[in-house]
Every structure is written in C-alpha cells, then in structure tokens.
C-alpha cells in the first residue's frame, strides 16, 4: 500500500516544460498563456520564454494550449501522466478587440495609445463608484484559515532523515490541491469575524466571533505571537487600495490611482467568461522585473462599471523579496443585489525557503466573505474605540458553531493536528529540544512540564555573561513569573556579580495588573501598578538602548566608557492604556546616583577637595503616548511593534522635589518625541524621528540632557553612532534622525549587482543643543550649585555645543548581504577637533528580512 502510494506521489512530480519562441525571429516570448484546455491549471512564460506545468492527470488525453492575443493559438495533445519537453513556436497576428485594434510590438512597450492602459485608466476612474463605502452602513462575515506546512515533501525525503526515524511524519503528509506537491501541515488557525462600517461619523471595526488554533507553534508557547506576525505579514489584501501591505513591504496595486500605470506594463489578452460574466482579460508585469511588484491577470467586467471580477497575482522570481520562492494571490468579487460589489475570495499562498539546502515552508491563508448587509447598525457596536474586538466566547466555540461558519473545510491532516502534536511530544529527548529552541528563539527557558504551563521563566539568556568597565566580567541570573502562577500579579528581577569590583547588583519588580493576562503583564492593553528597586552600575547612554544593557553582544564598545554611575532606584509606576492607543504613565522615583570609574561630581567652586559622594533626586514623571493603529507581538522578552506604519507621539514632563525623601534638587524638564514612517510605494521607506527637550531649572550636569550615544558596533536606530558618552551636555536640544531604506532601486539597475539583491540604505542625523548660562559652569565660575563638567586624566570629556552649529553625522550602507547582514559606514561631519572622537566607523547588524 505504501509503495503504491509513493509511486502515485512520484507521478505528481513529472512535469511538462519547454520554451516558446517567435516563428520568424526565434526570440523567446514572455507572457504567453500555457494551460490545459478546460481546466484551471496554467501558467505564463517567463522572460526567457520558459514554462513548466505538472503533468496532466486523469485517464483521458488533454490539450495543452499556447495562447496570446498577439499570436496564433496552438495546441498539443498529451497523455495522462506524460512527462516531456514541449517547445513551441508561434506566428504573430493582430486582433480586433472591442473596436480597438491591438498590434503587437514586442520590442518596445509604450503607454501612449495603448488600449490596455486606457482600460486600466477607466478601472481607476470607477473605483469610488464601486466602493462599499458608498453605503451609510455595511457589515459582512469573514472566515479565515491560516495553515503552515513543510513544503515539497518528495518520496525521496520520506525514505531518509527525520522521516525514517519518525515514521508518524509520513501519516501527516498530504497533497496540496493548488501546487500538486506533497506538504506536511504543522499548524492551523481558524477565525470567524464580523466586519462593521458606519459612514457618519466614520467608524470601522471587526468583532472576532470564533477563534481556534493547533499545531507545533503552541509547543514553544509562541502561538499567539507567531500568528500575529503571520497576520501582519500576510494580512488582508485589497487591490482597490493604492498600496498592498505584505511581508512588511508595500506593493503597488495593479489598479492603484497613483503610480500603477508608471510601475506596471499592461497587455490585453482576450475576452473570456468568468462564471456567467463576460470580462476583458489583461495581464500586467513590473517595468523592472527586480522591483518589488506583482505579475498577474485582471478580469474586468465588460460593461460600464469596469469592476474587477477576478484578480490573480504572483511574485516574479527575480524580485528583490528574500526567501519567497513562490507567492500566489487570488481575489474574487461578487455583485450585491443593489448592484454594488464586494470581495468574495481573498487567498494567498507562499513557499518560503531560508536556504535552498534547508526544508521549505508553505504558508496558506484562505479567506471567504459572505452575508453582506447594508442595514443600519446599532450605535452600541461602535462604543468601544478599537479596530478589533474579541467576543467573550470566541475561543470556546463548539463544533456546531464551526460547522455553521466554516466556509472551507479542513483537510484530513489539518483536522488531525492534535494527534500530530501528541506524536511530536512523545519523541525521546523532546523536552530538551524545546528548551534549546526556546533559548534560541525566545531568549528564555521555561520551567513548566507537560500539562503544567511554566510559572517561572529563566532569562534573558543573552544577559548571562557580559562585561563593562566597572564590573569587568559580569555574570547575571534573571527570571520572571508568568500568568500561570497568577494572571494579575507578576514578579521579575535579576542578581548580577562583577569579578572586577567583587560586588553584587540586583533588581526586583512587583507588578499588579488590573486586567487578567494570558502570559505576561505587558500584553496590550497594559493597565497596572508596579513597584521596583534596582541597585546597579549604569552608563548615561544605557537608557537609549533598544535592548537590555547587559546584552552580551553590546559588551564590545567603539570607545572607552569608563564614566559610570552606581544607581539605587526605587520607582512606583502606574500605567493605563486605552483601547484607542492612548496611554498614560505616572512614575514616582527616588534615585541615588553615585559616580564611579573615572566620573566625579566636583563642585564648581575651584577646588577638587570638595567632591560630592552622591546626589539624590525625588521625582514625579508623567508621560502620555499616542500611537494610532499600532499593533504588537507579545514575546517573552517584551512587547514589540510589528506594524511600524503608525505614527508615535510621546510627551514627558518630569518634576524634582528638594527636601522630600532626601531629594537634593527642585527642577522641571520636558521632552517630546515624534516617530513616523513614510513609504516610497514599493521602492522603500523613510523612518523619521524628531525629538526635543527643555530643562527649565538650574541643575548640575547629571540632570542635564545627554545625547543618545550608541557606543557599540551594533546598529541602534534613533541613536548617534559617533558621539562619545556624555560628549555634549545641554539644557535645550532638538534632534533629527532620518533613515531611508530602499529595496534595491539603484542596485537592481546595475547588471552585475542586481543578482546579489543588495539593498541600499542611507541616513542623516543632527543634534541642535544649547546650554543656558545658569547651567554652564564655564559661564558661572565659583558657583558651587553647579558641578564641573566631567574630565578624564585632566582633560575635559564633556563640552558645550555652539547653539548655531548642530552636530551632524551620516551613514550609508548595504543591507541584505547574504540575505541577513547589514553593514553601514558612519561618518561624523563636524565637531572633529574635540579629543578622542572617531571621525568614521563601521556598524553592523544581523537581521533576516523579507
């Protein structure tokens, strides 16, 4: 039985392939339709005229058709299961289509007097007429199935490797109905969602009515996080919008109002019937095959509506998208009783290979929309200002619910996913494999066991060993509790030891969440009160890092960091996040700051004998933050935004109180920051950070603003690469950070470089700063309320900026080297005469991006 099954599976891998050329010129022909007559199995020839199709199945002969509006149609009869090379030559022709004569010109594409382009213009002009938003209200139901599978499981693979040592894997293999390849499903998630819209006042939201998932991602406790990433990367596609968000990139829609006609080339192919409707059939391809865009087909209603009835799209292999071997998109639209149109089908399938030598994955998202209604919606449905609301019973719906709402049935292997997961759990040594994977992927190690979720996680793993000037070699043990211990009360902390100063450091935090959490306290929305105490050595620049200051990869510095502080911090924090992305945070802080290393606090009275041992501040800080549309993935390390399209506004005001709890200073300071990403369509993006602050009071230099200096060789956004620790001290500042990442727009046009798929990046950073006389020790000699600026071995290490001359630096680099390495050259433009400055350098980052 198994041998017969494997033999049948082998037939699926026999193929019909060949090239199509012009009869007269022998030139390869691109975009020729090659398909089996009477079926939906077909493809287009590539730029070399090449095509390939799975061999025909069934028990009857089938005709292989070669068709194009510009060439005479030809057919070849094939036997079922036949595998051979079929090369074809086609004779040029002209067709009269819809009173427009299309004359083929293969060598030069022109948008002028092009009937295909004129048709696209009409589609674009009618987009608003066909929009659902012409109604005062609408609602509809969506069913979505998201499946992840191992791709291309050949019979040879099933007789070797892990398939030989784990025979149960063979029982999970099935044939994919789209590609006719064998796949092994490893996870599946289903959602049923009701979508709502109101025109006045405009509001739009989704209510998740049902949600269930199973598969191997739950074994690592990252199921929800992985699914959030998958949904964000492979979210809803709407070709009627100008931009299509996929794989953290923006693709230009083939019917975009802005840019589509200049980005794509269009060809009229034929008039055909789609279901019961007569449609114009158009194909489209990017002007440059390596630009990030689609190739595909549009089927446009042959009436005055110019509505898209159906659209199929794929990703050219030459495009600059990493790891994606295949991507197919299908969209189908249906007409409403009132004549309007709505989306019926929204499917996407991707084959992803990190390396050709490694096993690939297939991710398939199937979505069906139904039950459209234009009845008035109750006001209470829009009361909560959230884009997505999860029904209380969503995760506990019974089989009757799923039988009613499931519009695409689960395959047998998807339905047996629970049995498959159980078999994996029974693998000898499985527990230790999971521990290793958790440490690698999540940076934490769980302490739970089968049927007993982890109540305490050990980590972050990458902070176990690090180093700095004060500690020397530093060893740290960290951990935190999870919601499995208590869904409202959480503890986290660490103990560290430095071999150089032979001193223990520590931190502990206790947090109470007012809303019940699934795993961690930082899950959105965060509504909690917390108290923490920390005793540790810190650099002034540590607070600007996007990662933990003890990350072992940050231990190697580009310059000396020997001016540090031994801090004792006690913080009481209240934080409340609303459903509409507005958050408020209030902190009561008691901070004792003792200079260590080569940092000293010396009164500005002309004598070094009057050194200050430490300073203490009692502070209240209020922060408000607004990030409309921001979405997150919750990992064990923290909450990470996965949608950077949202602008982020943050305002913080800090007050210091002298005489309260030992506070030494009265002061007020204010900081404002703004972040925004600007997309350059499919060509790339620009990330912009604006930040500014004012210290309103007279204070010594530890309470002034220090620039966000990055002392490591690792790229850190929104920091300055070539500023030294505390190089400038300001009581007023404004900073700008602009980074432009392009998707190979320049390199893709250079013949020898375009094969490397490198991506260009360049940016500019500037800092305006000033120091008023009241806080300038050089302007107020003898003023003992101020401290002398830091020195090292008798030489000043901190300076006053020229308020008319901003500090500037730029960076240029190459990303996507070997699909994971980012290297940037950084250059300091001015303030070059200051001591111990680096005029230029190299920074890098290892990161995998699509």
């Amino acid at each position: 039985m198994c041998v017969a099954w494997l033999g049948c599976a082998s037939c699926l891998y026999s193929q019909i392939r060949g090239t199509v050329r012009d009869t007269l010129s022998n030139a390869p022909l691109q975009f020729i339709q090659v398909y089996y007559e009477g079926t939906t199995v077909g493809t287009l020839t590539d730029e070399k005229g090449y095509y390939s199709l799975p061999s025909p199945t069934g028990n009857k002969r089938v005709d292989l058709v070669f068709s194009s509006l510009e060439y005479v149609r030809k057919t070849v009869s094939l036997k079922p299961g036949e595998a051979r090379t079929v090369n074809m030559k086609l004779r040029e022709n002209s067709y009269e289509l819809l009173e427009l004569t299309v004359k083929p010109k293969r060598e030069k594409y022109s948008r002028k007097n092009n009937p295909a382009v004129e048709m696209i213009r009409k589609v674009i002009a009618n987009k608003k007429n066909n929009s659902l938003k012409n109604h005062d209200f609408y609602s509809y139901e969506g069913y979505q199935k998201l499946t992840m599978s191992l791709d291309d499981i050949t019979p040879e693979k099933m007789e070797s490797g892990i398939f030989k040592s784990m025979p149960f894997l063979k029982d999970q293999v099935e044939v994919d109905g789209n590609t006719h390849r064998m796949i092994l499903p490893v996870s599946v998630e289903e959602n049923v969602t009701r979508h709502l819209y109101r025109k006045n006042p405009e509001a739009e939201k989704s209510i998740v009515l049902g949600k269930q998932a199973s598969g191997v991602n739950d074994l690592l406790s990252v199921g929800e996080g992985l699914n959030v990433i998958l949904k964000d990367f492979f979210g809803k596609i709407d070709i009627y919008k100008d931009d299509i968000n996929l794989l953290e990139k923006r693709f230009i829609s083939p019917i975009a109002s802005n840019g589509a006609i200049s980005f794509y080339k269009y060809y009229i192919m034929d008039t055909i019937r789609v279901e019961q409707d007569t449609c114009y059939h158009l194909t489209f391809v990017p002007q440059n095959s390596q630009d990030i865009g689609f190739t595909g087909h549009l089927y446009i209603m042959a009436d005055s509506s110019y509505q898209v009835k159906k659209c199929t799209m794929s990703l050219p292999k030459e495009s600059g998208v990493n790891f994606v071997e295949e991507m197919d998109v299908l969209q189908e639209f249906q007409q409403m009783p009132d004549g309007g149109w709505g989306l019926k089908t929204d499917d996407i399938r991707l084959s992803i290979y990190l390396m050709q030598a490694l096993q690939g994955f297939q991710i398939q998202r199937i979505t069906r929309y139904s039950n459209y209604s234009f009845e008035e919606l109750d006001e209470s449905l829009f009361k909560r200002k959230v884009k997505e609301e999860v029904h209380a019973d969503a995760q506990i719906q019974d089989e009757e619910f799923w039988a009613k709402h499931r519009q695409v049935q689960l395959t047998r292997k998807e339905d047996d996913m629970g049995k498959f997961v159980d078999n994996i759990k029974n693998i000898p040594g499985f527990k230790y494999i999971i521990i290793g994977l958790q440490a690698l992927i999540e940076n934490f190690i769980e302490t739970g066991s089968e049927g007993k979720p982890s109540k305490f996680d050990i980590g972050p793993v990458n902070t176990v060993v690090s180093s700095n000037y004060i500690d020397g070699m530093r060893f740290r043990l960290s951990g935190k509790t999870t919601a499995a211990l208590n869904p409202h009360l959480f503890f986290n902390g660490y103990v560290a030891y430095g071999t150089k100063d032979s001193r223990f450091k520590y931190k502990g935090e206790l947090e109470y969440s007012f809303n019940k959490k699934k795993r961690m306290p930082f899950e959105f929305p965060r509504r909690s009160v917390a108290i923490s105490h920390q005793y540790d050595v810190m650099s002034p620049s540590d607070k600007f890092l996007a990662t933990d200051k003890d990350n072992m990869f940050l231990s190697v510095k580009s310059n000396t960091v020997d001016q540090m502080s031994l801090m004792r911090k006690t913080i009481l924090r209240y934080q409340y996040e609303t459903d509409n992305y507005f958050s408020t945070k209030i902190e009561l802080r008691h901070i004792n700051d003792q200079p260590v290393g080569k940092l000293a606090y010396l009164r500005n009275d002309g004598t070094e004998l009057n050194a200050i041992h430490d300073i203490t501040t009692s502070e209240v800080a209020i922060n408000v933050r607004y990030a409309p549309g921001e979405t997150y993935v919750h990992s064990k390390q923290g909450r990470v935004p996965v949608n950077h399209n949202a602008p982020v506004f943050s305002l913080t005001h800090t007050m210091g109180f002298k005489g309260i709890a030992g506070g030494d200073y009265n002061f007020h300071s204010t900081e404002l920051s703004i972040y925004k990403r600007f997309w350059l369509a499919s060509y790339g993006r620009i990330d912009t950070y604006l930040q500014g602050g004012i210290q309103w009071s007279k204070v010594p230099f530890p309470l002034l603003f220090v620039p966000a200096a990055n002392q490591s060789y690792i790229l850190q956004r929104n920091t300055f690469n070539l500023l030294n620790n505390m190089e400038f001290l300001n009581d007023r500042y404004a900073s700008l950070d602009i980074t432009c990442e392009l998707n190979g727009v320049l390199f893709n046009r250079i013949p020898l470089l375009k094969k490397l798929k490198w991506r260009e990046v360049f940016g500019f950073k500037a800092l305006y700063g000033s120091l008023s006389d009241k806080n300038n020790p050089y302007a107020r000699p003898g003023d003992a309320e101020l401290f002398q600026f830091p020195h090292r071995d008798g030489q000043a290490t901190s300076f006053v900026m020229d308020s008319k001359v901003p500090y500037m630096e730029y960076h240029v680099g190459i990303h996507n080297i070997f699909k994971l390495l980012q290297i940037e050259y950084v250059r300091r433009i001015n303030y070059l005469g200051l001591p111990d400055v680096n005029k230029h350098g190299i920074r890098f980052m290892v990161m995998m991006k699509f």
Side-chain angles (χ1 to χ4, degrees):
M1 180 72 174
C2 182
V3 173
W5 186 82
L6 290 176
C8 179
S10 298
C11 294
L12 294 171
Y13 287 88
S14 58
Q15 287 189 325
I16 301 295
R17 58 173 62 89
T19 57
V20 182
R21 296 179 177 272
D22 184 273
T23 301
L24 297 177
S25 68
N26 203 40
L29 299 180
Q30 190 176 7
F31 312 128
I32 302 298
Q33 298 179 82
V34 185
Y35 61 93
Y36 295 125
E37 186 79 71
T39 74
T40 59
V41 180
T43 187
L44 288 176
T45 56
D46 63 17
E47 61 186 7
K48 297 179 181 179
Y50 178 80
Y51 74 92
S52 66
L53 287 171
S55 295
T57 57
N59 53 16
K60 294 182 180 181
R61 297 182 72 91
V62 65
D63 286 338
L64 180 65
V65 179
F66 299 83
S67 175
S68 170
L69 187 65
E70 302 174 354
Y71 290 86
V72 176
R73 183 177 186 267
K74 283 193 175 182
T75 62
V76 176
S77 182
L78 299 175
K79 297 178 182 178
E82 183 176 4
R84 58 186 263 202
T85 299
V86 179
N87 296 322
M88 180 60 63
K89 289 190 175 183
L90 299 182
R91 178 169 55 85
E92 196 172 313
N93 196 2
S94 293
Y95 281 84
E96 188 176 73
L97 174 65
L98 306 171
E99 300 180 356
L100 295 172
T101 301
V102 182
K103 295 183 178 180
K105 294 182 179 180
R106 301 185 312 279
E107 297 182 358
K108 184 177 181 182
Y109 175 85
S110 175
R111 292 190 289 270
K112 188 176 181 180
N113 298 323
N114 185 330
V117 172
E118 292 307 313
M119 192 173 295
I120 291 297
R121 293 188 195 277
K122 291 178 181 179
V123 172
I124 293 172
N126 282 273
K127 283 167 62 172
K128 289 185 178 180
N129 298 333
N130 298 325
S131 173
L132 286 175
K133 292 187 177 181
N134 292 327
H135 297 84
D136 292 333
F137 299 90
Y138 68 75
S139 65
Y140 59 90
E141 182 179 296
Y143 167 80
Q144 184 177 101
K145 181 175 73 169
L146 183 66
T147 307
M148 185 163 66
S149 310
L150 301 183
D151 192 24
D152 198 8
I153 308 298
T154 63
E156 292 76 18
K157 289 181 181 178
M158 292 201 298
E159 293 303 311
S160 61
I162 61 171
F163 286 92
K164 194 170 184 178
S165 58
M166 303 177 193
F168 70 88
L169 292 177
K170 296 180 183 179
D171 297 331
Q172 187 66 10
V173 174
E174 63 183 10
V175 178
D176 180 75
N178 294 307
T179 64
H180 303 289
R181 296 196 296 261
M182 288 188 289
I183 60 173
L184 193 158
V186 296
S187 71
V188 60
E189 178 189 323
E190 295 181 282
N191 287 280
V192 175
T193 307
R194 187 185 180 198
H195 302 270
L196 311 173
Y197 173 80
R198 180 186 64 194
K199 180 184 286 187
N200 190 21
E202 189 171 35
E204 197 167 0
K205 72 183 301 183
S206 300
I207 301 175
V208 179
L209 303 177
K211 181 179 182 180
Q212 64 177 6
S214 61
V216 296
N217 45 0
D218 291 331
L219 298 175
L220 293 172
S221 302
V222 298
E224 181 180 359
L226 180 60
N227 289 331
V228 169
I229 293 174
L230 291 177
K231 287 179 182 178
D232 189 72
F233 281 17
F234 317 119
K236 181 180 178 181
I237 296 172
D238 187 353
I239 64 169
Y240 272 82
K241 291 184 177 180
D242 284 0
D243 297 314
I244 296 173
N245 296 327
L246 280 175
L247 308 171
E248 271 201 325
K249 299 183 183 299
R250 287 210 172 178
F251 295 78
I252 296 177
S253 167
I255 58 171
S257 301
N258 299 310
I261 292 176
S262 61
F263 185 84
Y264 290 105
K265 295 189 286 189
Y266 299 90
Y267 304 88
I268 293 180
M269 307 301 292
D270 208 341
T271 55
I272 65 172
R273 295 189 71 82
V274 179
E275 296 176 340
Q276 302 301 317
D277 298 310
T278 301
C279 296
Y280 307 137
H281 176 197
L282 275 68
T283 61
F284 57 90
V285 294
Q287 297 273 358
N288 185 320
S289 61
Q290 284 197 292
D291 285 342
I292 295 179
F294 298 108
T295 64
H297 303 259
L298 289 168
Y299 302 87
I300 300 165
M301 291 292 293
D303 58 25
S304 59
S305 71
Y306 290 95
Q307 164 70 34
V308 174
K309 172 76 174 178
K310 180 180 177 181
C311 175
T312 62
M313 301 186 293
S314 60
L315 191 68
K317 286 191 175 182
E318 298 83 4
S319 74
V321 179
N322 288 331
F323 312 122
V324 178
E325 286 294 304
E326 299 173 356
M327 182 170 75
D328 299 310
V329 177
L330 169 65
Q331 292 217 300
E332 295 176 315
F333 295 83
Q334 59 185 329
Q335 192 167 22
M336 306 294 130
D338 66 348
W341 288 82
L343 189 61
K344 178 176 66 175
T345 302
D346 177 19
D347 295 347
I348 182 171
R349 183 189 62 81
L350 296 100
S351 292
I352 297 176
Y353 285 75
L354 299 182
M355 294 178 62
Q356 288 299 325
L358 299 179
Q359 175 62 54
F361 286 87
Q362 176 179 282
I363 298 172
Q364 183 169 341
R365 193 214 65 213
I366 296 174
T367 311
R368 299 291 181 268
Y369 299 106
S370 60
N371 299 330
Y372 280 86
S373 172
F374 303 99
E375 298 295 325
E376 183 174 347
L377 297 170
D378 193 281
E379 290 294 318
S380 62
L381 293 170
F382 299 96
K383 187 174 182 180
R384 291 189 64 198
K385 305 296 183 181
V386 292
K387 287 191 174 183
E388 183 176 272
E389 182 178 325
V390 180
H391 192 276
D393 297 332
Q395 294 184 312
I396 57 173
Q397 298 286 9
D398 57 19
E399 281 304 314
E400 183 179 350
F401 170 89
W402 289 106
K404 178 181 177 182
H405 294 275
R406 182 181 286 134
Q407 299 185 45
V408 177
Q409 293 301 310
L410 298 178
T411 67
R412 188 167 66 87
K413 304 306 180 183
E414 291 170 347
D415 204 23
D416 289 343
M417 193 65 69
K419 179 181 177 181
F420 171 66
V421 172
D422 289 340
N423 285 331
I424 291 179
K425 290 179 180 178
N426 293 327
I427 296 173
F430 169 77
K431 178 179 179 180
Y432 302 104
I433 296 173
I434 291 298
I435 290 175
L437 289 175
Q438 286 173 341
L440 180 64
I441 298 173
E442 293 219 301
N443 208 19
F444 277 84
I445 299 174
E446 294 185 352
T447 59
S449 59
E450 174 67 25
K452 296 181 180 180
S454 175
K455 297 180 180 180
F456 187 84
D457 293 344
I458 300 171
V461 175
N462 63 5
T463 62
V464 172
V465 180
S466 61
S467 67
N468 62 63
Y469 182 81
I470 301 300
D471 284 306
M473 288 297 296
R474 176 183 170 102
F475 299 93
R476 171 175 147 175
L477 181 64
S478 315
K480 58 185 178 183
T481 65
T482 74
L485 180 64
N486 190 302
H488 293 280
L489 193 64
F490 299 86
F491 173 81
N492 74 82
Y494 65 78
V495 176
Y497 181 78
T499 59
K500 182 178 178 180
D501 66 351
S502 301
R503 184 179 295 175
F504 282 97
K505 292 89 178 175
Y506 57 84
K507 179 184 179 181
E509 180 179 78
L510 188 66
E511 180 171 357
Y512 179 80
S513 175
F514 299 108
N515 51 337
K516 188 176 180 179
K517 299 299 183 180
K518 294 180 180 179
R519 292 182 179 87
M520 295 296 169
F522 44 72
E523 294 167 0
F524 182 85
R526 192 171 195 169
R527 298 167 183 175
S528 64
V529 61
I531 186 169
S532 66
H533 182 73
Q534 182 179 25
Y535 173 69
D536 205 348
V537 60
M538 302 183 73
S539 161
S541 298
D542 285 345
K543 62 183 178 182
F544 302 115
L545 297 175
T547 184
D548 195 295
K549 72 180 184 67
D550 290 333
N551 187 324
M552 64 179 67
F553 299 107
L554 302 182
S555 296
V556 180
K557 304 295 185 182
S558 61
N559 218 333
T560 303
V561 182
D562 54 9
Q563 296 173 319
M564 306 180 76
S565 294
L566 188 61
M567 309 287 282
R568 294 173 175 84
K569 292 184 180 181
T570 302
I571 300 176
L572 178 63
R573 182 187 73 243
Y574 169 79
Q575 187 169 355
Y576 189 91
E577 292 181 324
T578 68
D579 292 331
N580 57 344
Y581 312 104
F582 185 88
S583 68
T584 302
K585 182 166 62 176
I586 302 173
E587 291 187 343
L588 306 181
R589 306 170 183 160
H590 186 269
I591 303 175
N592 179 262
D593 178 354
Q594 176 186 342
V596 291
K598 295 190 176 181
L599 180 65
Y601 295 163
L602 303 175
R603 294 191 186 278
N604 190 41
D605 56 5
T607 174
E608 297 189 3
L609 299 177
N610 198 11
I612 304 298
H613 181 267
D614 60 77
I615 62 173
T616 300
T617 58
S618 298
E619 307 173 6
V620 176
I622 302 174
N623 170 263
V624 290
R625 185 179 185 274
Y626 182 55
E630 188 174 45
T631 57
Y632 309 95
V633 57
H634 299 123
S635 69
K636 291 184 179 297
Q637 299 184 69
R639 185 170 69 186
V640 181
V642 293
N643 175 7
H644 294 279
N645 300 323
V648 181
F649 305 90
S650 180
L651 177 65
T652 304
H653 186 76
T654 305
M655 299 166 284
F657 299 94
K658 184 177 180 178
I660 297 180
D664 296 327
Y665 302 99
N666 288 313
F667 66 87
H668 288 264
S669 66
T670 306
E671 288 189 275
L672 172 68
S673 66
I674 301 172
Y675 162 79
K676 183 68 177 79
R677 171 169 289 178
F678 299 94
W679 286 94
L680 305 174
S682 66
Y683 298 111
R685 67 196 186 203
I686 299 175
D687 287 336
T688 304
Y689 299 86
L690 291 170
Q691 198 162 339
I694 299 178
Q695 170 58 263
W696 305 93
S697 309
K698 180 180 179 181
V699 291
F701 80 80
L703 300 179
L704 297 176
F705 296 116
V706 297
N710 175 22
Q711 301 294 301
S712 75
Y713 290 96
I714 307 298
L715 287 168
Q716 298 270 343
R717 293 303 176 209
N718 202 23
T719 61
F720 292 93
N721 294 298
L722 295 171
L723 276 178
N724 290 331
N725 186 35
M726 295 191 297
E727 182 171 341
F728 297 119
L729 298 170
N730 304 302
D731 57 15
R732 284 166 173 77
Y733 81 95
S735 65
L736 170 68
D737 185 336
I738 299 177
T739 298
C740 180
E741 295 187 48
L742 301 178
N743 292 323
V745 172
L746 302 178
F747 291 149
N748 286 349
R749 284 151 178 81
I750 302 174
L752 295 179
L753 289 180
K754 67 180 183 180
K755 293 183 179 181
L756 299 175
K757 295 187 177 182
W758 287 353
R759 299 171 185 170
E760 316 85 346
V761 62
F762 53 89
F764 173 79
K765 303 171 189 281
L767 171 69
Y768 284 88
S770 66
L771 186 65
S772 58
D773 287 347
K774 70 174 182 286
N775 287 318
N776 188 346
Y778 301 112
R780 302 179 67 88
D783 189 341
E785 292 184 38
L786 302 180
F787 295 170
Q788 297 178 32
F789 274 10
H791 288 68
R792 179 188 297 112
D793 302 326
Q795 186 178 58
T797 56
S798 296
F799 307 93
V800 179
M801 294 187 69
D802 185 337
S803 60
K804 297 180 180 180
V805 180
Y807 167 84
M808 294 178 288
E809 65 179 52
Y810 68 84
H811 56 102
V812 294
I814 301 173
H815 288 191
N816 207 43
I817 301 173
F818 308 120
K819 298 184 179 181
L820 56 84
L821 182 61
Q822 303 176 3
I823 297 180
E824 295 184 16
Y825 170 76
V826 294
R827 174 73 187 192
R828 181 169 174 148
I829 298 175
N830 58 356
Y831 289 96
L832 301 177
L834 299 179
D836 298 324
V837 301
N838 290 321
K839 297 180 181 179
H840 53 82
I842 299 294
R843 301 292 182 268
F844 69 94
M845 172 71 78
V846 176
M847 181 177 292
M848 299 177 69
K849 289 184 178 182
F850 284 105

